[in-house]
């Protein structure tokens, strides 16, 4: 009686048991501070379902990358007391995963989940920076009465003294602009990736030794990832992001990641499929560069 | 240049100016504690749009009911700090409307908004009870880490010492059952409305002089209102609810109301249309019985 | 190489050739005067597709009813010069069908198409009245700058001195109310069909010898036919309409019909399936009573 | 870290472990012979997700029914070699479950899965009959080149010499009519349930000592279960089916069941929610009548 | 009580009052001559809702552009007497806006609305030409019995002796080809924008001193704007259109604009979001080049 | 009474009669072996409807291409006995079309239909090779218990000793990789088309004299064709495929084709429109190069 196991990549027990797995998928179906279109709570489930169609054989490296094991954790339950409480719950869940020595991959849910995850990773990995792939700067001090909004996701990370290097950014407020000026932050905009031939190296150079990769799916152009809350035109392409992840994996050490803001569309699995395949590519790049020399 | 004003019922300025209106529609597009299907935030906008197709001539009373005026307020902005903060914001918004002497009609959003509204109404109208049309008891002490969840909506109302008379209830937990037993509460179940010929009078008799009507759209059978988060089979029919509201309007004084938990479905305006027409029927009943003797 | 012919009921050539068929389906995918939700233009195609799943064996009469033949005509092309021009085009198309001696069944499209069809039928069948199954009276003198709007469909029929007997009506304007008073018209409301045990006989009695049946799908409760532009709660049920059509077929002579205002919903074929089966039931009733004595 | 387990009813391990559970949910996401609308393959997943919102406290019996345990098995993998091969796979999977002494509940998928399930149950329970709740007779000898089509589901059961008592039937072919005549089978039609006051007792009386309940969701009226392939108007209501199941549970011994033909609609969880709650009601009835005397 | 005003960009009263505003958004939800997919009537509402998520800070110019004021007018009511009447209504509405000295931005609705708008603008701005971004030439003499069809939008403009410069054109009829030959018109095709390095300058050079920008959203590739009636593959990209608008704003004087043919898709706000942001970019370009020297 | 004929391109009888037509469209709405998302059975109908909006005038060649005639055949009925039986039915249907001397264009349905079509074409055209535009290699020996799965489509073609040249391939299994190695097959990957300037000529060079073009719509990037079962990111663009088809038409003889794996999305006709236009472009290229010298 053949069956596809209902976990990330549809892996058999031998490759998906938590104890033996190097990678741990942590679903966080939380979307309570979202301001416009809702539904990222359905993202983790959709990404996991789509991942079961991702081919395990990687065409680029000409091999499979599941021997290290990829475990899928049960979802973190929403804490409805508010985003500050939820931040703590996420932090606690993530801390355990990091302590267990796993390469943690958070699945959102909205982008506000990232700060709890980064805080947990920072506890283990020093010299940490965040590679943020995103349409928005997410650097507001607070938004709609809370400092833990999706619109403040990276501001909360910076509060932890973790540098953030944004790529694909094409939407921020006057307040955020002023903040970036003051902090001398200049993200690599989506237009930069088309007009500045060195954008990829620039991004890599700014990263520290250990890198947390935070992928807001709206960093991609809506043509490639229409299933998201605020689909900003003029975004990144598939190969740009793949190649950037590869470059980072080769020159730095990626230690954790998240993929957030996926909203499944009725009948169109394009966005969650892209998210699932991107995560597998990330694993492939990390695995392939595990023993390479770094910065 | 003919134009349909974009307010509830599409009324011209003369019938929709706040200062002169007896009725005030208060949209509250809040859905942050919802646990299953999300999207009630889109409810108020959809109900207002649908209401513009509701005929102003009432077939039952053979006249229009807009001379008293129906104003549509701007939506209460979501407070993302958590449901406790949102409860306060709703209370403050509603208190102003009640102080201005309006018959307030809240449009949800999720059911948790009701306790803030009732609290505001209670400040003005003594001997207040709530007629709750709902599939669920909503009497949990707390749910998913907050006492202000949609699943605790009526428990919070009872905390205000306002009696709650439920109609259409067909889903509650063992904990809620125990609580109802202890408080000697026995809601009128959906099955009662089919098997007990006196159900309507029983409901009316339990209500106090002043009545707040809280309509969770899932009180209706999903056949009539499929656009909602937890569509419980076996619910109420259109004419049952209309006739109940008429009976209450005739024998008690309805002083405020809300309609909550509407989620617009793609392409199917059935639920929001029913909600809009139900509100107009409620206004018609209230207007027609304004000078009748009461209990 | 088995194939389902792409016509109404999926009939083989022998039963669907125009020349030999008694019944002729005339699709009119026109929706240019619709004021709220658009999409009835997709109705005819959806009804035809759904009809191919309708069982040809009728359980009530225990036999099939296709030997008389049911031809499916090509759709009447939309005339975009405006509804007055379209009315003429429909009239011309229908006149030919009626002249050919067919029992014409128009598939809308919006309700405004009916007046052109009735006008064509009136040219052949004297003592004609219209049985209108509908949520709305459709008796406005004009609407949105045209007398040929869907909201004036039955007013235009009355201009032809053809009496209209409405059933299921539950929405009309003060102007229409006044008009009905003046003309001493009192439609059988949806509530009447629940509270007046004689409603069906009353409807039949008011009809003249020859009857044109015009079914606006919103005459049904939205629970049964959610795919329509203005889904009015409190409507008719399946068996009510079936039994009414049977009674009319037994006591009068039905000479033509239309089914209008079907909007296919994404993924939900319920409404068009009901429409298709209803048309087949109508044919069954007409065929079974072909030789019965009448008024 | 609170989590809702991703199984039927969202039960904790203690109540969902296969070894200790009395009930076993067997998902069969198979829809390869469906002729009109496809998508029942998504049914099992949708029913399981919806079931996690079903309240475990039963209002009718005033208690919970999970102590006997309800295990959710992994889905039976589709066998794409054709429906004959799939029938064998289903039979093998089901036989194991039945041998393990479980009360098996199959989740379709299309109705063709039932014959494999019944065949497995028949191996253990003698004096078996099938209560078929359905819009269609499903008694064709073969359909679209295979005897294992959904349209032949109950014909295959009858081949096993298991009597089939249909309820809600309102669509069959001339061929099926002839077959029923020859076999002296007369299903209880949907109309019978409205016009014959004894329909329920008639159905129970025809059943043998042990009963397999096969619920094609299209037995319900599309108003209650719009998410299905061929939504036949004029079907059963929620309370009718609940009361019938209760009567059967009281007077016979229900030994297994299936719920099939659910197609999740975009944004509308009504159908899968009804299916999930119906299964829980079935369990409640079976548990409550476990020690009652029978025929 | 914080609230987002329900106008274009969600601007506070000070920046959105008609009297003080330089820009005026004129919604025209009209789609009665559309021949294939309907629904552009929902475009204006969707664009306005989406615009409330557009960041007011422009990354390119590093400042906000709302001080000049952007007023949102109520929608022009559909005139159902036919497209000729509607043309007059649009003209009258637009003439008033132009007379009031506003920079008018029409929101469609179908493309047929442009001729009425251009006619109004021509009354004030001499030396006017139209920059048409579109997949189709829209140069038919008449279509489906009316000269005011969407398929004749630019032909009607040319009747006004206003030159039309098309960009992105990739679909026209033999008749239109002949007409263009005769008039020596050669639009810049979508392929030209990929293969001819000078396409942008060519377009600018052909424009006269004052420019009306008419953007049919299907000028974009469907990858970027899938929500439209006839999604022609091979279209323009986001940055191409932005850069073209900038070039025109720098070298000519843009005096009015429209964005048409947006159909909101279920759950996917990509197209209306692009439209909203494009309009804001247009305003930014116009504002930034207000005092620059021109041709 | 103007009417659009309901065939591919909406052609009048003179250009669509089978006997006189050079091209024959063969719809095959079959999707029984699909493993993930279902619904390609709706593809042929959607492509035909969309094709009626494709302009007959080709901008590239500046002429129409319908004089040779394009007939639309009725759909091949699904054979539900399993994919092996269906393969035979398709082969028989196709053989007749090929024998009649038609240029056959199959419309899927799933990709498994191609092997039956190629087998029929091979019977007439020697020196045949297949140009496969696809995201997946489709070279599995068998899948989910059948050798006739969509995942084995091209393996079955290779069994016929027909060489397959894949373009756009970006997903295959370790087993397929090994098979390709053994057979010395190296498809042109999607990345190759971006990084290898000679990819197009390489593809053409590998083709034999007679070419069957098999287009799995997922060969395109999901940005251009989101309506498909497994939307693999990183695919081909519109102009790449058009230019490749032109090159093949110029240097080889295209003798038949198919377009498969289109799933219509709710409300979004982008994918079927692209498919329809692509087929017309293919016809244009074939017609224009009919008399050119070849290899």
């Amino acid at each position: 009686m053949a069956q596809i196991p209902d976990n990330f990549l549809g892996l058999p027990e031998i490759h998906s048991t938590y104890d033996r797995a190097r990678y741990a998928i942590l679903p966080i179906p939380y979307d309570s501070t979202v301001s416009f279109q809702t539904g990222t709570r359905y993202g983790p489930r959709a990404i996991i379902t789509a991942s079961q169609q991702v081919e395990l054989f990687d065409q680029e490296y000409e091999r499979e990358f599941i021997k290290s094991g990829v475990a899928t954790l049960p979802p973190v339950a929403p804490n409805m007391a508010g985003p500050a409480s939820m931040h703590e719950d996420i932090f606690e869940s993530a801390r355990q995963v990091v302590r267990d020595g796993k390469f943690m991959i958070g699945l959102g849910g909205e982008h506000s989940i990232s700060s709890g995850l980064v805080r947990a990773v920072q506890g283990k990995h020093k010299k940490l920076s965040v590679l943020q792939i995103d349409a928005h700067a997410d650097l507001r001090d607070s938004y709609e009465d809370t400092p833990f909004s999706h619109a403040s996701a990276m501001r909360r990370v910076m509060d932890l003294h973790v540098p953030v290097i944004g790529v694909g950014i094409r939407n921020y407020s006057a307040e955020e602009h002023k903040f970036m000026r003051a902090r001398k932050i200049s993200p690599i905009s989506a237009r930069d990736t088309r007009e500045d031939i060195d954008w990829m190296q620039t991004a890599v150079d700014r990263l520290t030794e250990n890198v947390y990769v935070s992928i807001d799916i709206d960093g991609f152009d809506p043509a490639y990832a229409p299933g998201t809350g605020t689909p900003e035109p003029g975004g990144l392409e598939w190969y740009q992001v793949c190649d950037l992840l590869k470059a980072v994996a080769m020159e730095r050490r990626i230690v954790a990641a998240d993929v957030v803001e996926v909203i499944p569309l009725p009948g169109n699995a394009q966005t969650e499929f892209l998210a699932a395949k991107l995560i597998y590519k990330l694993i492939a790049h990390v695995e392939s560069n595990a023993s390479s020399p770094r910065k």
Side-chain angles (χ1 to χ4, degrees), chain A residues 97-135:
Chain A
V97 177
V98 172
R99 275 184 183 162
D100 291 342
K102 308 301 178 192
F103 184 109
M104 179 182 63
I105 302 172
L107 295 189
E110 50 165 281
H111 211 166
S112 67
I113 68 168
S114 294
S115 58
L117 298 175
V118 172
R119 193 176 139 211
V121 171
Q122 189 191 26
K124 174 147 186 180
H125 298 285
K126 303 303 161 194
K127 298 187 184 168
L128 188 70
S129 56
V130 168
L131 171 63
Q132 171 202 13
I133 292 169
D134 205 333

Side-chain angles (χ1 to χ4, degrees), chain A residues 6-228:
Chain A
D6 193 14
N7 56 35
F8 190 75
L9 297 176
L11 297 177
E13 201 178 345
I14 190 170
H15 292 131
S16 61
T17 303
Y18 184 73
D19 290 349
R20 275 181 290 188
R22 182 175 176 205
Y23 299 87
I25 304 288
L26 182 65
I28 310 173
Y30 180 77
D31 60 6
S32 287
T33 82
V34 163
S35 37
F36 183 39
Q37 290 193 106
T38 185
T40 64
R41 68 174 60 188
Y42 307 123
R45 178 66 251 173
I47 295 170
I48 290 169
T49 299
S51 76
Q52 294 161 10
Q53 300 301 314
V54 170
E55 193 54 75
L56 299 179
F57 183 82
D58 186 278
Q59 217 171 333
E60 191 171 355
Y61 294 106
E62 299 198 333
R63 63 183 186 91
E64 297 188 346
F65 289 96
I66 53 168
K67 284 196 186 145
S68 300
V70 183
T72 305
L73 291 162
V76 178
N79 180 314
M80 294 308 191
S85 303
M86 186 65 190
H87 175 91
E88 288 304 317
D89 280 13
I90 292 168
F91 170 65
E92 289 300 334
S93 295
R95 188 163 56 169
Q96 191 56 51
V97 177
V98 172
R99 275 184 183 162
D100 291 342
K102 308 301 178 192
F103 184 109
M104 179 182 63
I105 302 172
L107 295 189
E110 50 165 281
H111 211 166
S112 67
I113 68 168
S114 294
S115 58
L117 298 175
V118 172
R119 193 176 139 211
V121 171
Q122 189 191 26
K124 174 147 186 180
H125 298 285
K126 303 303 161 194
K127 298 187 184 168
L128 188 70
S129 56
V130 168
L131 171 63
Q132 171 202 13
I133 292 169
D134 205 333
H136 311 86
D138 289 352
L139 288 171
R140 287 172 203 261
D141 193 24
S142 81
Y143 191 64
E144 296 186 324
D145 308 297
T146 175
F148 289 101
S149 165
H150 62 101
S152 302
M154 290 301 128
R155 183 70 171 261
R156 291 294 80 73
V157 167
M158 291 190 67
D159 289 351
L160 301 169
H161 305 288
V162 172
V164 174
I165 287 80
V167 174
I169 312 299
R170 53 200 186 279
N171 197 333
Y172 44 79
S173 65
E175 174 211 336
E176 288 171 291
H177 179 65
K178 207 171 154 188
F179 173 79
M180 289 191 281
R181 281 262 164 115
R183 296 288 191 95
K184 298 190 195 304
I185 302 168
S186 60
I188 292 160
S189 74
R191 208 181 248 278
D192 290 340
T193 68
R194 304 178 135 245
E195 298 180 356
D196 174 4
I197 202 168
D198 297 322
W199 71 272
M200 203 179 288
Q201 194 55 49
T202 304
V204 175
D205 289 348
R206 289 184 191 166
L207 291 165
T208 56
E209 187 177 329
N210 291 317
V211 177
Y212 179 105
V213 175
S214 181
I215 300 172
D216 185 322
I217 209 74
D218 67 18
F220 284 91
D221 192 277
Y224 306 101
T228 195

